[in-house]
């Protein structure tokens, strides 16, 4: 006999935090549970929440290095905690799961005050600021990499390696073979710089591809995501180099394009790494140098060590260096195919299932949390937001 429990997920308003939160929400709902999401206004605008899930936008103050903002930040955190406690009184969650980002902090504080079990999930190879603050009091720490920096040794007994949840369409790619690549066949390159593209890729990649030996360059077929302000000049560059290229500011069918790509060039965000390793696609990755705690440089370590990717620091990312690294990776069809296999070995396709198992094991006894739907719960939080549309693509 199964029992329905209630769970609250809390995530900051970036795709890196929201995508795994949405994936867990979907998995928990499929298991018969009810889910509510706490986020900020940015997170509310990112599609993907289950149809019948509640979405609540709560204040989320930041405590920065500037003392002038401390008072306002503290007030917002306390207000968010109070509103989260009101939500918990109505929703009665069995556990609260934080995915990082400042909106998760008041939710976790409220759970501690209410003695509700808590879990944090870290997507990156460096424990984020909010997760560092919460690590002492949570029941479990779910990680995406075997080695996590800025995690105090005394908390290691709480750690569970589950991986970073990805979309079902990407998991499906794991069952498909690496696309055939012969010495005369089309060489498909996918260039993506995260949710908003990356100007550095627009500056470097077209010229780097143009430096490849003719036997590689004449076979190229490029798909590249560009910022809107960059797209026309990038189109002109590819035309000048006589390289076929499809450019767009947004790629709604990214999983499909990842499926037929022979090589990916992009940033080293947690979601990107998770998708590459789940699908098994080799990559040349350029970590974002301004990422907090330089976490993108750490994210790529495992994949590079396994032989599935090469990493180029942004100051060294030139057209000449890109061409050199591409030639090393693509000396022959088997070289890229081997790199794809090495990348796949780093994948953790069961991440969402393993995370849901952990959440269910931490939550309180199902006998004490059977389904309880309160008609008045929407009035507890001022101006509750409706559930977002079902996920299409991110």
């Amino acid at each position: 006999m199964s029992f329905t429990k209630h769970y609250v997920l809390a995530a900051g308003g970036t795709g890196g935090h929201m995508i795994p939160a949405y994936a867990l929400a979907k998995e928990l709902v499929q298991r018969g549970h009810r889910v509510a999401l706490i986020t900020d206004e940015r997170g509310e605008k990112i599609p993907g929440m289950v149809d019948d899930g509640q979405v609540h936008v709560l204040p989320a103050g930041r405590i920065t290095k500037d003392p002038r903002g401390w008072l306002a930040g503290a007030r917002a955190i306390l207000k968010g905690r109070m509103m989260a406690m009101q939500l918990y009184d109505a929703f009665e969650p069995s556990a609260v799961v934080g995915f990082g980002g400042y909106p998760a902090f008041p939710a976790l504080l409220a759970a501690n005050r209410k003695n509700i079990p808590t879990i944090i999930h870290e997507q990156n190879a460096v424990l984020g600021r909010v997760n560092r603050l919460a690590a002492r009091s949570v029941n479990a720490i779910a990680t995406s990499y075997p080695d996590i920096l800025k995690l105090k040794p005394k908390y290691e007994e709480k750690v569970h390696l589950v991986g970073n949840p990805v979309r079902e369409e990407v998991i499906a790619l794991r069952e498909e073979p690496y696309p055939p690549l012969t010495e005369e066949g089309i060489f498909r390159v996918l260039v993506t710089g995260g949710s908003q593209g990356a100007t550095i890729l627009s500056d470097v990649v077209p010229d780097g591809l143009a430096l490849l030996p003719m036997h590689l360059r004449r076979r190229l077929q490029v798909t590249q995501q560009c910022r809107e302000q960059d797209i026309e000049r990038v189109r002109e560059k590819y035309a000048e180099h006589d390289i076929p290229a499809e450019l767009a500011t947004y790629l709604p069918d990214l999983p499909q394009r990842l499926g037929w790509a022979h090589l990916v060039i992009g940033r080293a965000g947690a979601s990107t790494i998770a998708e590459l390793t789940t699908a098994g696609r080799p990559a040349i990755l350029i970590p974002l140098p301004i990422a907090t705690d330089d976490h993108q440089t750490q994210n790529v370590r495992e994949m590079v060590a396994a032989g599935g990717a090469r990493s180029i620091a942004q100051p060294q990312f030139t057209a000449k260096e890109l061409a050199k690294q591409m030639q090393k990776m693509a000396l022959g069809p088997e070289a890229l195919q081997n790199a794809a296999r090495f990348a796949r070995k780093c994948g953790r396709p069961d991440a969402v299932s393993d995370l849901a198992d952990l959440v269910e094991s931490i939550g309180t006894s199902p006998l004490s949390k059977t389904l309880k739907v309160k008609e008045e719960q929407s009035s507890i939080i001022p101006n509750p937001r409706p559930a977002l549309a079902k996920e299409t693509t991110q």
Side-chain angles (χ1 to χ4, degrees):
M1 182 176 182
S2 61
F3 293 85
T4 294
K5 298 189 201 178
H6 296 180
Y7 293 105
V8 170
L9 314 184
T14 66
H17 297 309
M18 300 300 292
I19 289 175
Y22 287 154
L24 178 61
K26 185 174 183 179
E27 177 70 16
L28 291 173
V29 168
Q30 287 177 343
R31 295 186 182 197
H33 304 303
R34 290 176 60 85
V35 174
L37 173 71
I38 289 176
T39 187
D40 58 11
E41 292 182 354
R42 293 184 305 160
E44 183 197 24
K45 295 176 182 177
I46 298 175
M49 185 57 176
V50 291
D51 286 338
D52 55 352
Q54 301 178 28
V55 178
H56 300 278
V57 175
L58 269 60
R62 298 188 177 200
I63 304 299
T64 64
K65 295 180 179 179
D66 187 352
R68 292 174 296 180
W70 289 356
L71 182 59
R75 284 175 174 169
I77 290 172
L78 291 175
K79 183 177 180 181
R81 185 186 70 167
M82 179 190 67
M83 295 172 69
M85 290 171 65
Q86 291 176 327
L87 170 62
Y88 300 163
D89 286 340
F91 195 66
E92 295 188 349
S94 292
V96 175
V97 187
F99 287 85
Y102 287 99
F105 193 46
L108 293 168
L109 289 176
N112 292 336
R113 187 67 177 270
K114 290 284 190 179
N115 293 318
I116 300 170
T118 53
I119 301 167
I120 53 176
H121 178 270
E122 179 56 59
Q123 300 87 50
N124 293 298
V126 182
L127 201 64
R129 292 176 181 173
V130 167
N131 283 346
R132 292 202 294 270
L133 290 172
R136 179 181 64 86
S137 58
V138 299
N139 297 79
I141 301 171
T143 64
S144 302
Y145 298 89
D147 298 313
I148 303 295
L149 300 183
K150 294 189 179 293
L151 174 67
K152 293 182 179 180
K154 62 183 178 181
Y155 301 142
E156 288 181 356
E157 62 181 13
K158 300 181 181 182
V159 171
H160 301 261
L161 175 60
V162 300
N164 193 13
V166 299
R167 291 169 283 185
E168 292 179 348
E169 301 96 317
V170 176
I171 295 176
L173 296 177
R174 194 170 178 85
E175 304 306 318
E176 298 181 8
Y178 182 74
L181 179 61
T182 65
E183 292 187 1
E184 295 300 321
I186 295 175
F187 182 12
R188 298 185 179 91
V189 177
L190 174 63
V191 186
T192 176
S195 60
Q196 295 182 337
T199 294
I200 186 69
L201 299 180
S202 297
D203 292 341
V204 173
V205 173
D207 291 337
L209 298 182
L211 293 178
L212 292 173
M214 182 57 68
H215 75 277
L216 282 177
R217 188 176 64 184
R218 64 181 175 81
R219 296 161 48 206
L220 287 172
Q221 181 175 314
V222 180
T223 298
Q224 181 163 344
Q225 177 196 20
C226 303
R227 292 179 182 269
E228 185 175 356
Q229 62 267 32
D230 297 332
I231 195 166
E232 288 306 320
R233 68 179 179 86
V234 175
R235 183 174 284 113
E236 291 175 3
K237 274 192 175 184
Y238 278 118
E240 177 185 336
H241 297 317
D242 196 26
I243 296 175
E246 179 183 356
L247 310 180
T249 57
Y250 176 64
L251 299 173
D253 56 345
L254 186 59
Q256 179 181 345
R257 294 176 183 273
L258 180 62
W260 55 247
H262 295 110
L263 177 70
V264 176
I265 302 172
R267 289 298 195 189
S271 294
T272 297
I273 300 292
E275 292 186 346
L276 289 171
T277 56
T278 297
R281 292 296 180 270
I284 294 176
L285 301 170
I286 303 87
L288 177 67
I290 61 171
T292 305
D293 298 318
D294 196 24
H295 65 252
Q296 288 202 4
T297 296
Q298 305 305 321
N299 287 351
V300 78
R301 286 184 307 163
E302 182 185 27
M303 195 175 175
V304 169
R310 291 177 179 266
S311 179
I312 306 174
Q314 186 160 307
Q316 284 74 55
F317 183 56
T318 62
K320 184 177 180 180
E321 182 64 20
L322 174 61
K324 181 174 75 173
Q325 295 299 332
M326 282 191 66
Q327 290 180 72
K328 288 182 177 180
M329 290 194 76
L331 288 175
E334 291 185 3
L336 277 173
Q337 193 165 2
N338 288 336
R341 188 175 71 253
F342 297 145
R344 190 178 185 277
K345 287 183 177 180
C346 297
R348 298 179 177 90
D350 298 326
V352 68
S353 177
D354 290 345
L355 180 57
D357 288 346
L358 176 62
V359 170
E360 287 183 322
S361 72
I362 296 293
T364 54
S365 168
L367 291 174
S368 65
K369 293 292 179 181
T370 53
L371 177 60
K372 184 178 181 181
V373 182
K374 291 189 175 182
E375 296 295 336
E376 72 273 19
Q377 63 191 13
S378 62
S379 64
I380 297 296
I381 299 295
N383 191 28
R385 307 303 176 98
L388 301 177
K390 203 165 188 175
E391 179 176 4
T392 52
T393 54
Q394 301 272 345

